[in-house]
């Protein structure tokens, strides 16, 4: 993976479930900056030279210089709003600015001066954290005594919306409420939302994505995965849409780039916005993903792939439309099979089982603890069991059974017509005024991703799979529409029904789809379009399933913090700190520069060098480094960034840091807090790291800043940018 | 590869061509034992503890204990004729003794006592060197002044036959004349030929061939590639055919097995019988194998594979018959593409070119040298050019154009009828009385390897390819038979001709084929069998081509030693010793135990351990170690052979030794001359080592004797054998 890819995100009802028990080991931990002072001894022992206190303030240096791009991390590296992130994080902006004549993706790009900096792709943002407020008491106080799961969910949802709305009164800011430890803590995070983001420099794809999908997840690695943006604001200093008169944003803080590099064994830390992890799930949860979730979903996705491949075989137009979905399904199934291979070698279920036993024994050994937490583990296990009893329906009905693009559009539109009857603040998330643009875009995108024959072929199979579900998991309205009785479905009748639906719908037409955005519920109910009719017919059951999922989520949100509180207390009794699962908030991970042994008699050393590019290069994508780069390496033009021990220039390096999707572009800093690299990937052996951090083999991969600087100096002559970052060259 | 596989052996005309220039580096060199005293300083510096003089006598300890199995190497390891070699060298004998009920290959084998030792496969031999005589003067003196190439070839051939015949008067011995430095020296080697060889012990294939074809050539490796034979002789102490009353052979010398193992950096040496190398070929030769030989042959073999696969697709019987050829062609084409990849990374042509220039300059700098050797390089280059000008014909006509199994049989039989007219000693090699058994076997084997439809389909394509050769390289008799005119061949006519030939021949019948072994030339000439007719029609051109090849070989044999003599003198002037190319004679290679770096940021350490077997094991062949072995490893039952530094038992190890096909089973000895391992393979990065020894990456792979002993102690309870070798266990 590149760290951009967020980990698997199950349906809402299953999302935010579980906890349990992972005692932090030396390098494990995505720590909240405010926790670092507690870890001062360990940080110092590893070699940190600055005061851990200085790392704990999100609005001060260096943490304030670490910014979010929404899905990726980046850093300010000059007083003039210069931003560094991964090439794969700026990929969309590079593609957006590429034309056949001026192919920036292929050739790379360096703006000659600020006037030549290019607008990033639409929607690109830089988020700078300006305030963090603990709102736990406000959120929890709102929940009525004895609330049901559904009531609890609704109350928390409403309170969060209110807090966000109030916070966002401050124009130019985006606010989010983030949950920690499954609901034990809530924080309101306020970020400056910079909307004018421009592309400053990107290396050629053959550098920035060197090794491509083949090297993805792999070590040894030789990827120059960096790019530069610049953040612009209006002349008044406030966020503004792109405009020629805008000026570079002057960040309060920026990172110092160190050209000196690091050495094996050195202290290292990274700050970034990891998306989500599952480190505290129960043994029964781990067992379920191993035994059911990944294998069953993997199989279903492979079947889906087969159908798409078959039904697009002689249709190049359709095949292009489905290329994105095919790539996604391929990537996911490869990831699942890697995860399963990783789990097969792991004793995670046994370890979690043992930890749960220890925790329960500790709880039971004290009457007061037993009173408070005694039932938490059992309660949680029961909720998990209930959730798992529904997971086949979630997959075969909720996720795939309704998975026709036209039905999806019709359901969204009818739901929108219903939600529009309410005041904006009371609407379901996703159907508020702020969401209309996104809905329109999504209706629009069907033009490039929908083909009736492919949609119908896949949906037909999904309906057949759904029909095999136990009858008590069926949805009556759905059965009635397709004439499904018990588990039996007449294939000829189904084919005829589908043929008729696709023949008689106007939902394939963009104008028609968009026009329904303005319609009333009555108009839907009177329509004779078969997809609209089906959406109307399913509506009550859709709402029922959604409410049921909210009820379950509410129950999880009530039970989870109780067990997590016990967990934290238990670990405190062992003198161990506990970090919360990743939740897209700023975290710090620290450890050291270190290789590993992937197999008996094989050692991976922690640095790759320019020489490895010569070794790998075949001249064919993705191992087609630019000719001038190959020549520079052959001629040993190491310039200012030569490493004597390596007798070359360092390219990528390995650390023991703890990272996941969302960490891409994270500032990798030395013991002084200076920028020495950019985090961009994990190693193949850490594919199950979201579930299980295994110290001897879990590694994070970084691009060495010396490689970035070498490329800028030797290949692009980016002297102005180097000077802007205060880098002196020979 | 396993070292059993000899390297590519081009047709006779090209076999024994070239020389040139490879100055021995630290670990390069397949040294004749008699050269070792010259290398005393280097040996001592590396750590050898015994007197190099003691290694130089082939009839004394330890060299006399190192024996040949014909294609593999082995060693005596007890006074009772116990022999250790590789599992893959005893493979035929293990298979030969396996039945469905008693599957030794699958289950392994340990004779409870001598009476249960099993006869090795027919033809198995143990060759013990008893005398080595320099016969250079006798061979060269026989060559008449001003002899043509053909005369020279014939004279040397006759002299060698005479020397061998005289030597073999001593019953129970086999003799060979071996050529060094391309004809600068000749040695008559006399070996005791022990014919009663018995299988004593072999591990299960899942140990002895662990990793199979997937791990072949690869490091890290975990193969228990060992087996034990015992040599038996008649009660009178002389070689005898298998008989119950035979007794174990008492070797003059045997090796001491060391259970103490070696450590990284230790001195190591191996003695064995490497088959052939091409270290002294010219730059133009190296360029030709890279540009023409491997790519062109590889392409032709792939075409052949396609035809076989296509024409056996619906015919399981045929597919079984061609499985061996398919495996061979697959292996060869994989090897060729590996070689080409290796050459692509090598600057061998540039280095050889530079060396040739240096050598020529050195020759030209002295009038006497210039007189003696001045033209040698140019003469050799001219011969090479001539040979290369014919190589397309050698491939498309000699090798493939006549490549029908039935035509091959017919040509052999007709030639035999002609040779039988001469006295035995005057017959062409391969057609003497001693060869008749082999000819019969080969006619017999067609029953298991020939299918008319497949033979015809491949031959048809080869004929079409032949037709495309420049017309002056065509063979008139062949063209006439198939109605080929210029480069054009009527495909319909060709198909009809082939159909008619295969329909009207009786050569597909075994009885018929064998009966022709007794026929006179006249009977062939009168036959109406189309394959016999074609063989007769081609006979004159066959002889002509053969004589032409002999003429060329004779010329090479005259020029080669001149240049090699210059080479040796040149290196002497640089104070460097030169070893001759491998020629199946006993050689010693020495160096150290050492890992390597196969790629940037990757290091291979020199020992694998039992833990690696757990890591690799999938339960599926070839990674299906026996359950009791897996259990022993999991339980850390390391027994007497635990290595503290590895915290396990060593399994395989890497050395800097110089080896090739034929070295399989070579005795790997420590600084004291004790047996610490068995050589069994080279690493993938050394695939071009027969041409080019590259010190940083060329490695030889050995099974550690401690692993052998661990298996015997822990898995087979082979206490008697361990005691026989003097091994004490805990």
């Amino acid at each position: 993976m590149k760290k951009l890819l967020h980990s698997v995100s199950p349906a809402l009802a299953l999302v935010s479930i579980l906890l349990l028990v992972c005692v932090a080991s030396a390098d494990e931990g995505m720590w909240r900056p405010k926790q670092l002072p507690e870890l001062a001894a360990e940080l110092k022992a590893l070699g940190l030279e600055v005061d851990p206190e200085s790392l704990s303030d999100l609005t001060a240096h260096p943490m304030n210089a670490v910014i979010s791009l929404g899905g990726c991390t980046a850093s300010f590296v000059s007083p003039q709003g210069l931003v560094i992130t991964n090439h794969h994080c700026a990929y969309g902006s590079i593609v957006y600015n590429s034309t056949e004549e001026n192919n920036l993706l292929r050739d790379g790009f360096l703006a000659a001066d600020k006037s030549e900096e290019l607008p990033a792709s639409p929607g690109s943002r830089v988020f700078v954290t300006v305030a963090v407020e603990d709102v736990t008491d406000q959120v929890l106080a709102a929940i009525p005594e004895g609330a049901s799961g559904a009531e609890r969910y609704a109350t928390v949802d409403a309170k969060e919306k209110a807090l966000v709305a109030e916070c966002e009164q401050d124009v130019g800011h985006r606010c989010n409420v983030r949950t920690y430890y499954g609901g034990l803590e809530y924080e309101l995070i306020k970020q400056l939302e910079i909307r004018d983001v421009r592309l400053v420099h990107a290396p050629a794809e053959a550098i920035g994505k060197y090794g491509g999908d083949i090297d993805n997840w792999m070590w040894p690695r030789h990827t120059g995965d960096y790019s530069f943006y610049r953040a612009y604001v209006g002349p008044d200093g406030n966020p503004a849409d792109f405009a020629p008169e805008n000026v570079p944003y002057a960040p309060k803080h920026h990172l110092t780039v160190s050209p000196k590099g690091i050495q094996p064994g050195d202290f290292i830390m990274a700050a970034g916005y990891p998306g989500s992890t599952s480190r505290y799930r129960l043994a029964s949860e781990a067992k379920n993903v191993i035994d059911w979730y990944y294998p069953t979903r993997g199989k279903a996705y492979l079947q889906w792939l087969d159908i798409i491949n078959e039904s697009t075989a002689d249709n190049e137009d359709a095949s292009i439309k489905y290329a994105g979905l095919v790539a996604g399904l391929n990537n996911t199934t490869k990831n699942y099979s890697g995860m399963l291979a990783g789990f097969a070698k792991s004793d995670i279920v046994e370890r979690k089982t043992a930890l749960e036993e220890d925790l329960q024994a500790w709880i039971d050994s004290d009457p007061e603890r037993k009173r408070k937490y005694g039932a938490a583990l059992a309660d949680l296990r029961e909720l998990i069991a209930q959730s798992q009893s529904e997971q086949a329906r979630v997959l075969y009905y909720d996720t795939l059974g309704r998975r026709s693009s036209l039905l999806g559009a019709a359901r969204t539109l009818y739901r929108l017509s219903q939600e529009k009857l309410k005041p904006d603040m009371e609407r379901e998330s996703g159907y508020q005024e702020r969401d209309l643009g996104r809905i329109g875009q999504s209706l629009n995108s069907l033009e490039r991703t929908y083909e009736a024959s492919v949609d119908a072929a896949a949906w037909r199979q999904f309906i057949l799979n759904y029909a095999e579900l136990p009858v008590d998991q069926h949805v009556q309205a759905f059965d009635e529409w397709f004439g499904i009785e018990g588990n039996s479905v007449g294939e000829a009748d189904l084919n005829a029904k589908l043929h008729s639906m696709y023949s008689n719908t106007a939902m394939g037409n963009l104008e028609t789809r968009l026009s329904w955005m303005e319609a009333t519920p009555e108009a839907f109910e009177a329509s004779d379009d078969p997809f609209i009719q089906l959406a109307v017919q399913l509506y009550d059951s859709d709402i029922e399933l959604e409410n049921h999922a909210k009820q379950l989520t509410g129950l999880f949100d009530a039970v989870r913090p109780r067990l997590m509180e016990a967990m934290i207390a238990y670990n405190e009794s062992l003198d161990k700190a506990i970090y919360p699962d990743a939740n897209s908030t700023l975290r710090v991970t620290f450890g050291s520069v270190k290789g590993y042994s992937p197999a008996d008699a094989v050692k991976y050393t922690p640095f790759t060098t320019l020489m490895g590019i010569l070794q790998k290069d075949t001249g064919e994508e993705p191992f087609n480094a630019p000719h001038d780069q190959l020549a520079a390496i052959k001629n040993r033009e190491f310039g200012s960034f030569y490493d004597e021990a390596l007798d070359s220039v360092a390219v990528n390096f390995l650390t023991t840091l703890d990272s996941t999707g969302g960490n891409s572009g994270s500032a990798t800093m030395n013991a002084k807090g200076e920028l020495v690299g950019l985090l961009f990937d994990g190693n193949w052996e850490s594919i199950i790291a979201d579930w299980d951090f295994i110290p001897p083999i879990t590694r994070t991969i970084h691009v060495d800043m010396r490689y970035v600087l070498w490329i800028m100096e030797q290949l692009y002559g980016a002297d102005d940018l180097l000077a802007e970052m205060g880098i002196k060259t020979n």
Side-chain angles (χ1 to χ4, degrees), chain A residues 34-64:
Chain A
K34 69 176 186 181
Q35 292 183 285
L36 296 176
E38 309 173 39
L39 298 163
E42 198 177 341
L43 285 159
K44 202 179 163 191
L46 275 167
L48 180 68
E49 294 176 25
V50 301
D51 181 354
E53 283 290 347
S54 74
L55 303 176
S56 67
D57 184 350
L58 298 193
T59 60
H61 184 275
M63 291 304 150
N64 187 249

Side-chain angles (χ1 to χ4, degrees), chain A residues 390-544:
Chain A
E390 299 175 12
Q391 66 189 359
R393 192 212 70 231
V394 170
L395 172 59
Y396 292 116
Y397 180 70
D398 302 14
T399 308
L400 297 178
R402 300 180 295 195
R403 219 289 177 181
S404 147
S405 294
L406 293 195
L407 178 60
R411 287 175 56 234
T412 300
L413 289 163
Y414 182 52
R415 178 70 177 268
L416 178 63
S417 76
Q418 294 282 2
E419 295 293 330
K420 275 180 153 180
L421 305 177
K422 308 175 194 168
D424 195 53
M425 279 298 291
E426 289 173 27
R427 293 187 202 169
E428 184 69 19
S429 294
Y431 297 94
Q432 294 175 286
E433 286 303 314
R434 59 191 280 202
D435 300 314
L436 296 182
R438 195 190 47 75
I439 293 176
Q441 272 174 14
S442 139
L443 295 171
N444 223 305
S445 73
L446 291 195
E447 295 295 293
R448 300 184 309 278
T449 61
Y450 164 80
E451 177 82 24
S453 59
V454 187
D455 197 67
W459 194 26
R460 182 183 163 280
Q461 182 60 52
F462 297 148
I463 295 166
L464 293 173
N465 295 351
Y466 157 83
E468 290 172 16
L469 276 175
V471 176
D472 63 0
Q473 294 182 33
H474 278 210
V475 171
Q476 200 186 337
F478 194 77
D479 285 0
E480 281 168 9
W481 180 267
F482 285 109
I484 297 168
E485 293 183 10
N487 292 113
S488 81
V489 49
E491 288 209 34
D493 289 350
L494 176 61
N495 294 346
K497 180 82 179 179
L498 288 172
H499 181 76
S500 156
M501 287 179 74
Y502 283 90
S503 306
N504 293 307
T505 185
M507 290 294 288
N509 180 276
L510 175 61
E511 300 291 311
T512 307
R513 287 196 299 274
L514 291 175
S515 71
W516 280 106
M517 284 185 74
E518 309 304 329
T520 60
E522 292 72 25
F524 283 87
E525 286 144 25
S527 167
D528 61 0
D529 188 292
F531 284 92
I532 299 286
Q533 284 182 337
L534 177 56
V536 171
Q537 181 161 334
L538 293 181
Y539 183 75
D540 289 345
S541 61
D542 283 357
I543 297 291
E544 198 182 319

Side-chain angles (χ1 to χ4, degrees), chain A residues 277-401:
Chain A
T277 52
S278 308
R279 296 271 170 80
Y280 298 98
R281 303 242 171 155
L282 294 195
S284 61
E285 274 293 303
K287 188 164 166 22
N288 182 62
V289 292
I290 299 167
D291 292 347
W292 193 90
Y293 190 89
Y294 292 123
T296 313
R297 296 230 158 198
K299 213 170 121 189
Y301 294 165
L302 285 176
Q303 187 185 39
W304 195 356
L305 271 172
D306 282 347
I307 294 170
I308 297 172
N309 288 334
E310 203 174 295
S311 57
T312 58
D314 299 320
N315 186 338
E316 199 184 325
D317 186 45
S319 144
I320 291 168
K321 285 178 174 169
Y322 283 83
L325 180 56
V326 165
L329 289 171
N330 273 322
N331 189 49
T332 302
T333 51
K334 182 187 169 188
N335 179 272
Y336 283 6
S337 67
M339 297 272 284
L340 287 170
F343 279 125
K345 287 186 235 161
S346 153
D347 59 349
I348 183 173
V349 175
E350 290 75 14
R351 272 184 287 119
K352 281 184 180 283
T353 302
L355 281 164
E356 286 167 30
E357 282 169 12
D358 292 349
L359 176 64
Q360 188 69 49
W362 179 79
I363 291 172
D364 292 347
S365 69
D366 176 272
E368 172 61 15
R369 285 202 295 263
K370 191 166 178 179
R371 191 189 59 73
K372 273 178 87 175
Y373 312 123
L377 190 54
D379 288 353
L380 188 53
R381 284 184 180 147
E382 195 183 310
L383 278 177
I384 290 165
Q386 185 185 337
S387 166
Q388 289 175 2
S389 74
E390 299 175 12
Q391 66 189 359
R393 192 212 70 231
V394 170
L395 172 59
Y396 292 116
Y397 180 70
D398 302 14
T399 308
L400 297 178

Side-chain angles (χ1 to χ4, degrees), chain A residues 110-146:
Chain A
L110 174 67
D113 54 39
K114 293 199 183 68
S115 72
E116 292 204 2
E117 296 173 356
L118 298 166
S121 60
S124 295
R125 295 287 182 271
V126 161
F127 297 105
V128 187
T129 302
V130 294
V132 176
E133 183 188 354
D134 187 322
V135 293
T136 311
D137 292 346
Q138 298 175 59
V139 171
L140 296 183
I143 302 168
E145 196 70 27

Side-chain angles (χ1 to χ4, degrees), chain A residues 539-556:
Chain A
Y539 183 75
D540 289 345
S541 61
D542 283 357
I543 297 291
E544 198 182 319
L545 284 173
E546 188 178 298
N547 286 338
H548 176 71
K550 288 176 179 171
Q551 160 77 7
L552 205 54
T553 302
L555 290 174
F556 273 116

Side-chain angles (χ1 to χ4, degrees), chain A residues 210-222 616 623 681:
Chain A
Y210 191 76
D213 288 338
I214 296 174
D215 270 6
N216 192 9
W217 280 104
M218 293 298 143
W219 185 262
R221 195 68 162 275
H222 299 85
K616 278 185 180 174
F623 298 106
D681 207 354

Side-chain angles (χ1 to χ4, degrees), chain A residues 64-258:
Chain A
N64 187 249
V66 179
I67 55 193
S68 169
L69 303 179
C72 272
T73 302
S75 309
F76 286 122
V77 286
S78 92
Q80 300 171 65
L82 189 64
V83 168
I84 189 166
T85 187
N86 288 150
H87 184 269
H88 78 266
C89 294
Y91 201 80
S93 296
I94 303 166
V95 170
Y96 176 75
N97 285 290
S98 291
T99 61
E100 222 164 283
E101 300 74 43
N102 191 16
N103 193 333
L104 309 190
L105 184 64
R106 186 190 61 210
D107 304 330
F109 170 68
L110 174 67
D113 54 39
K114 293 199 183 68
S115 72
E116 292 204 2
E117 296 173 356
L118 298 166
S121 60
S124 295
R125 295 287 182 271
V126 161
F127 297 105
V128 187
T129 302
V130 294
V132 176
E133 183 188 354
D134 187 322
V135 293
T136 311
D137 292 346
Q138 298 175 59
V139 171
L140 296 183
I143 302 168
E145 196 70 27
S148 72
E151 284 165 345
R152 186 186 169 98
Y153 178 91
T155 312
V156 171
D157 188 53
K159 185 69 199 173
E160 286 182 0
K161 276 182 187 153
L163 286 165
V164 165
E166 190 192 335
C167 175
E168 288 185 354
Q169 294 291 318
D170 190 354
V171 174
H173 293 79
R174 188 188 69 165
C175 302
N176 282 292
V177 174
R178 300 289 183 186
T179 308
Y180 296 83
Y181 303 116
L184 195 60
E185 286 182 40
Y186 294 83
E187 270 181 358
L188 176 66
I189 295 166
K190 180 178 179 181
Q191 296 176 306
L192 187 70
E193 180 178 17
I194 297 178
R195 306 196 296 276
D196 183 356
V197 181
R198 302 187 194 175
L199 185 65
V200 176
H201 166 50
E205 185 178 25
I207 293 174
K209 204 183 166 183
Y210 191 76
D213 288 338
I214 296 174
D215 270 6
N216 192 9
W217 280 104
M218 293 298 143
W219 185 262
R221 195 68 162 275
H222 299 85
T223 309
D225 200 352
Y226 80 93
S227 288
F228 285 92
Y229 277 139
R230 193 184 301 280
Y232 280 79
V233 289
D236 61 357
N238 290 321
D241 288 330
F242 176 89
E245 67 272 22
N246 285 352
V247 297
Y249 171 69
K252 284 209 299 186
H253 302 285
H254 71 271
L255 297 182
T256 302
V257 175
S258 166

